[in-house]
Amino acid sequence: METKKYKLDMFTTFTAVTMSCCNDKARPELLSSSLAQLSGDSALWAGVFTAGKSGGPDTTALGVLNLSDARLQKSAAKDEDFCFLDCDHTPPSSSNKIIPIKAALVHSKMTSLATVAIHNWVVAFIGTGDGQLLKIVIDQNQKVSCPEILYESPAEKAVFF
């Protein structure tokens, strides 16, 4: 959605893409997401995706997407589920493409996510279902550092924020 002077004009710019995480294993459910505004007009969006109750060490994954990515601009289409003023109830089109998101970090029990941008770097704080608070750093090329454990609950209670 683009920022416009009038709200009516903003609603007509609403577009959507379908995201798919991840190439190594299907994780269709989004648990948590966060947006980090970098310097200039660029921004990184990060999301924690899950494969559901399948268990295993690779159940959840952190996907990172650069919102200024040219693939997003080319794939953006009017969202069939969002109708404003000119609703003609035509059948949904297949015009919006699926944008694959690769797994930046795979973990067994990620539950929540918060991010903060510092210059062209993003610091991500990740809560886990077994009581850990992890910190990772994502650079401007979407490369992820090794996770650092900031806190570990002795009771192993899930961390949400």
Side-chain angles (χ1 to χ4, degrees):
M1 182 178 279
E2 294 177 27
T3 303
K4 300 285 186 176
K5 184 175 180 180
Y6 300 105
K7 287 182 184 180
L8 181 65
D9 294 335
M10 283 179 31
F11 285 121
T12 60
T13 67
F14 187 78
T15 58
V17 294
T18 302
M19 297 180 291
S20 173
C21 186
C22 298
N23 50 358
D24 64 325
K25 177 180 181 176
R27 295 177 187 89
E29 297 175 40
L30 179 65
L31 294 177
S32 183
S33 69
S34 185
L35 178 68
Q37 186 70 42
L38 301 173
S39 61
D41 288 337
S42 63
L44 286 183
W45 176 87
V48 173
F49 293 86
T50 183
K53 299 186 188 284
S54 66
D58 60 350
T59 301
T60 58
L62 175 71
V64 179
L65 184 63
N66 184 340
L67 294 181
S68 61
D69 190 331
R71 295 178 307 157
L72 287 173
Q73 310 312 317
K74 290 178 187 171
S75 299
K78 293 290 181 186
D79 189 350
E80 302 89 24
D81 295 326
F82 185 79
C83 176
F84 184 73
L85 293 181
D86 58 349
C87 304
D88 60 1
H89 302 292
T90 57
S93 69
S94 59
S95 60
N96 47 334
K97 298 175 186 170
I98 296 175
I99 301 296
I101 300 175
K102 69 177 188 174
L105 175 69
V106 176
H107 191 277
S108 61
K109 299 178 181 176
M110 287 187 276
T111 56
S112 57
L113 172 70
T115 59
V116 62
I118 302 171
H119 302 290
N120 280 332
W121 296 80
V122 174
V123 180
F125 300 95
I126 301 166
T128 69
D130 57 0
Q132 292 183 335
L133 175 61
L134 306 175
K135 178 185 96 172
I136 61 168
V137 178
I138 306 167
D139 71 11
Q140 57 270 24
N141 298 317
Q142 299 176 19
K143 301 286 188 236
V144 177
S145 69
C146 291
E148 177 183 341
I149 300 173
L150 297 180
Y151 175 77
E152 194 162 7
S153 168
E156 293 189 7
K157 293 187 178 185
V159 176
F160 291 99
F161 32 81

